[in-house]
Amino acid sequence: MASAKIIYASMTGNNEEIADIVSEALENLGVDVDVSEISQADTEDFADVDICIVATYTYGDGELPDEAVDFYEDLQDEDLSGKVYGVCGSGDTFYDDSFGKSVDDFAAAFEKTGATKGADIVKVDLEAEEDDIEHLEAFAKSLAEKAADM
C-alpha cells in the first residue's frame, strides 16, 4: 500500500480543508495518509512515505506564509529521489500577478529534491468549491497512479 504525507499551512482554514479533501481522495484510492500542520512538521517527515504533498496559502503580494519559510528552505536540501510530489493551495485572485505564488515556490523547491512530479499544481481561489474539489480529487488520483508506477 502506498503512503502519503500532507503538510499544510492554513490561516483561515481553507488549506486545512484542501488537505482534508486530498487526504480523503487518497484514502479512497487505498493510500495510507498522514496529515500535519506545517508548524508541527519537519521535511524529514517525507522520508518514510511514497507521496509528498504540500498545501499552502500565499500571503499578501506573493509571500510564503511566515510559518512555512523554514520548512520551504529545509525542503530544498532534502533528497526525495524515488518519491512522488504534489503541491496545491489557495490564494486570492485579487492579487493577479501573485495568485498562488507560494504554490509555485513550493513546486520549484520540490524540483530541487529529486522527487518526481506526480500531478499538476492545483490553485484554489480562496476556498474550495465544487469544481475545485473535482480538481483536487483528480490531483490525488494522479499522485496515486504515479506512485503506483514507480
Side-chain angles (χ1 to χ4, degrees):
M1 174 188 294
S3 59
K5 178 72 175 181
I6 302 173
I7 307 288
Y8 71 90
S10 190
M11 178 185 287
T12 61
N14 291 342
N15 279 292
E16 183 174 8
E17 179 184 9
I18 287 169
D20 288 343
I21 292 165
V22 173
S23 175
E24 183 177 333
L26 286 168
E27 288 171 350
N28 289 340
L29 294 165
V31 177
D32 182 34
V33 183
D34 184 49
V35 181
S36 296
E37 204 281 323
I38 202 161
S39 66
Q40 306 298 313
D42 188 280
T43 56
E44 293 172 4
D45 294 344
F46 288 143
D48 297 324
V49 297
D50 305 303
I51 304 169
C52 310
I53 302 167
V54 169
T56 186
Y57 66 93
T58 299
Y59 189 75
D61 289 318
E63 293 89 34
L64 288 167
D66 287 342
E67 68 273 24
V69 172
D70 289 342
F71 189 91
Y72 168 80
E73 290 172 352
D74 292 346
L75 178 62
Q76 297 175 69
D77 296 328
E78 287 292 319
D79 179 4
L80 299 177
S81 301
K83 299 183 184 301
V84 173
Y85 78 87
V87 185
C88 56
S90 66
D92 188 339
T93 54
F94 173 81
Y95 298 95
D96 290 335
D97 295 337
S98 61
F99 171 64
K101 184 176 178 304
S102 291
V103 174
D104 297 327
D105 291 344
F106 266 102
F110 268 118
E111 287 290 321
K112 296 177 181 180
T113 68
T116 301
K117 181 178 179 181
D120 290 335
I121 60 174
V122 176
K123 295 180 184 177
V124 174
D125 184 22
L126 301 176
E127 60 185 293
E129 296 183 7
E130 192 171 326
D131 60 332
D132 298 311
I133 293 169
E134 291 174 10
H135 291 133
L136 291 165
E137 289 171 342
F139 169 84
K141 183 177 182 193
S142 180
L143 290 169
E145 289 173 350
K146 189 66 150 182
D149 290 342
M150 294 195 59

